Amino acid sequence: MFDLKDKVTLITGGCGLLGIKHAEAILEFGGKVILTDVVSIDEGNKVVDRLERKYNTHSEWITDRVNFEWMDVTNEDSIQNVIDKYNKIDILINNAALNPKVEYCREGGVILNIASDLSIISPDQRIYDGEFKPASYGVAKAGVVNLTKYLSTYLAKKNIRVNSLSPAGVYNNQPDEFVSKFSDLIPMDRMAKPDEYKGAVVFMCSDASSFMTGHNLVIDGGRTIW
């Protein structure tokens, strides 16, 4: 059920910390990945090279099982230029802050939107040491969850499932004081590891979740329970 062989996944924001992990999850289960981002082409290709070395993904599919395409999700022409290069896209992982236009979805497939635990709770401003988490972040992520619910019904008759994943804070060498304060908010007493969302990504993108749509899966170490 978790087999993603020959499934083509387009990941927006694909060169970021979690975008790369999403790509790893897809590759580990036999899928093919198109990384899209607004980073430089050189930087994007470096990410591709790292993934190729890690997974030995060379195959007859175009040149490799993982490719990078420069794409700005706020620009319709930029999106269309990427879409036109590929015969099919089975899975879309909306990891960037904004979402590509829905009219490019083909018949059948999966959309996975990456939201945040802050889509359902407010940030605890005490942990940011004089700075603050802006309202725009939580509002945008809450919008992603609502968009997920909307699209799940809108696209259901086209056999397209739409779900969202809401991770908690991911450890990325943040200052020790911040990590300690953040961990105090979580029953498991730590931040998430970058690899800990890969299983959920595979589950939500594969046939293992074939009857799940419109769902926001929160994986936060129990933070939202408190």
Side-chain angles (χ1 to χ4, degrees):
M1 289 189 299
F2 292 92
D3 185 17
L4 294 173
K5 185 178 179 181
D6 297 327
K7 297 291 186 181
V8 180
T9 300
L10 186 147
I11 305 175
T12 66
C15 294
L17 177 67
L18 286 184
I20 293 172
K21 295 300 177 182
H22 301 333
E24 290 179 354
I26 299 299
L27 292 169
E28 287 170 6
F29 283 79
K32 302 171 182 178
V33 172
I34 306 166
L35 296 173
T36 69
D37 213 315
V38 291
V39 301
S40 68
I41 293 176
D42 183 61
E43 185 176 347
N45 287 334
K46 286 180 180 177
V47 174
V48 169
D49 289 342
R50 292 203 305 271
L51 290 171
E52 286 178 345
R53 288 196 298 271
K54 184 170 183 178
Y55 295 102
N56 190 25
T57 58
H58 291 281
S59 74
E60 67 280 1
W61 183 68
I62 305 177
T63 56
D64 309 299
R65 278 180 49 217
V66 54
N67 287 271
F68 172 76
E69 300 288 349
W70 190 94
M71 189 178 85
D72 178 359
V73 298
T74 68
N75 184 284
E76 186 172 348
D77 290 336
S78 178
I79 297 170
Q80 189 66 60
N81 288 337
V82 174
I83 298 300
D84 287 344
K85 294 183 66 173
Y86 296 90
N87 293 326
K88 68 167 187 170
I89 295 173
D90 301 291
I91 300 165
L92 169 65
I93 299 182
N94 273 325
N95 185 64
L98 297 175
N99 296 289
K101 304 294 185 179
V102 301
E103 57 262 32
Y104 300 121
C105 296
R106 58 183 206 80
E107 290 287 334
V110 176
I111 296 175
L112 175 58
N113 295 321
I114 306 302
S116 166
D117 58 347
L118 295 183
S119 67
I120 58 173
I121 60 172
S122 181
D124 189 332
Q125 304 291 0
R126 296 172 297 179
I127 70 174
Y128 295 102
D129 193 27
E131 300 179 2
F132 69 97
K133 196 75 169 180
S136 57
Y137 183 84
V139 169
K141 292 301 186 181
V144 168
V145 173
N146 191 272
L147 177 65
T148 297
K149 295 176 180 180
Y150 173 87
L151 290 178
S152 69
T153 58
Y154 182 78
L155 298 174
K157 291 184 178 179
K158 293 188 175 182
N159 195 30
I160 297 173
R161 298 188 297 108
V162 188
N163 294 290
S164 59
L165 173 63
S166 285
V170 179
Y171 179 72
N172 190 26
N173 298 310
Q174 294 96 333
D176 290 342
E177 183 178 1
F178 173 82
V179 173
S180 178
K181 289 180 178 179
F182 197 102
S183 298
D184 286 343
L185 301 176
I186 299 177
M188 293 184 69
D189 198 33
R190 64 176 177 84
M191 300 184 75
K193 302 172 185 176
D195 286 338
E196 290 188 295
Y197 296 105
K198 291 164 67 173
V201 168
V202 174
F203 168 68
M204 298 176 82
C205 290
S206 69
D207 287 342
S209 60
S210 58
F211 199 55
M212 187 172 97
T213 194
H215 183 68
N216 179 43
L217 180 60
V218 180
I219 302 181
D220 62 355
R223 181 183 181 186
T224 54
I225 297 171
W226 271 353

